[in-house]
Amino acid sequence: MGQWHMTETEFAYLFVPLIIGIMGGACLSGRLAGRIDGTRQIAIGYALALTGGLLSLLLHMFVKSPPVFPQQVLITTVAIGVQLMMPIYALRMLDMFPDARGSAASVQSCVMLGVGAIFLGALVPALSGWMVALAAGSLGSALIGFMIWRMAW
């Protein structure tokens, strides 16, 4: 609200692009299923997330008061990238435990909720006072995920 100078009734300016990215990425992931290799789909997802994160950081570093629309486009881009990756990661994790898929799915959900709670409850509020820091945190998170993925494969 403070960064985009909006009121509490204007959350749609943030959430609509985010939801469009999540739904669009999920739909695209479903369309790509079986058509391209999962590793390639993850690479495309990271390319989108890292590009969106980097452009967001550059936008906030070099434009004093960036317009809302480019920020919305970048939020959507990152969300599409993340949604392209998540189904592949979930399936690969479940494939690691074929005899205990239910337990594996429960643990995966628990870990994702825990990490999300830490990020949304601690990290984001700590960084949200300055958009450059928030954009850097987003890019840094994507970079960490990318490095872990590269080391694992």
Side-chain angles (χ1 to χ4, degrees):
M1 289 183 345
Q3 300 298 332
W4 285 3
H5 310 291
M6 296 183 178
T7 67
E8 61 275 354
T9 61
E10 296 175 307
F11 276 107
Y13 284 90
L14 174 64
F15 290 114
V16 169
L18 184 62
I19 297 304
I20 287 171
I22 290 170
M23 290 177 63
C27 181
L28 183 58
S29 180
R31 302 276 293 154
L32 293 175
R35 294 181 183 192
I36 66 171
D37 182 60
T39 301
R40 182 157 185 235
Q41 186 169 324
I42 289 173
I44 293 168
Y46 272 120
L48 289 171
L50 290 168
T51 300
L54 178 62
L55 291 175
S56 181
L57 179 61
L58 293 173
L59 178 69
H60 289 291
M61 286 176 66
F62 296 112
V63 178
K64 182 176 178 164
S65 184
V68 171
F69 183 71
Q71 296 176 69
Q72 291 172 315
V73 170
L74 294 172
I75 288 168
T76 303
T77 302
V78 171
I80 289 170
V82 170
Q83 278 305 115
L84 282 175
M85 293 181 272
M86 294 312 293
I88 305 299
Y89 279 141
L91 290 172
R92 287 186 178 177
M93 193 277 309
L94 291 173
D95 287 345
M96 293 172 65
F97 305 97
D99 296 331
R101 286 183 182 265
S103 296
S106 294
V107 169
Q108 178 189 20
S109 295
C110 180
V111 169
M112 286 181 65
L113 288 171
V115 170
I118 290 168
F119 269 76
L120 294 174
L123 189 60
V124 171
L127 299 176
S128 65
W130 189 34
M131 290 300 283
V132 172
L134 192 58
S138 174
L139 178 59
S141 297
L143 279 170
I144 289 169
F146 178 74
M147 289 187 290
I148 292 170
W149 173 63
R150 294 304 299 165
M151 287 189 303
W153 299 106

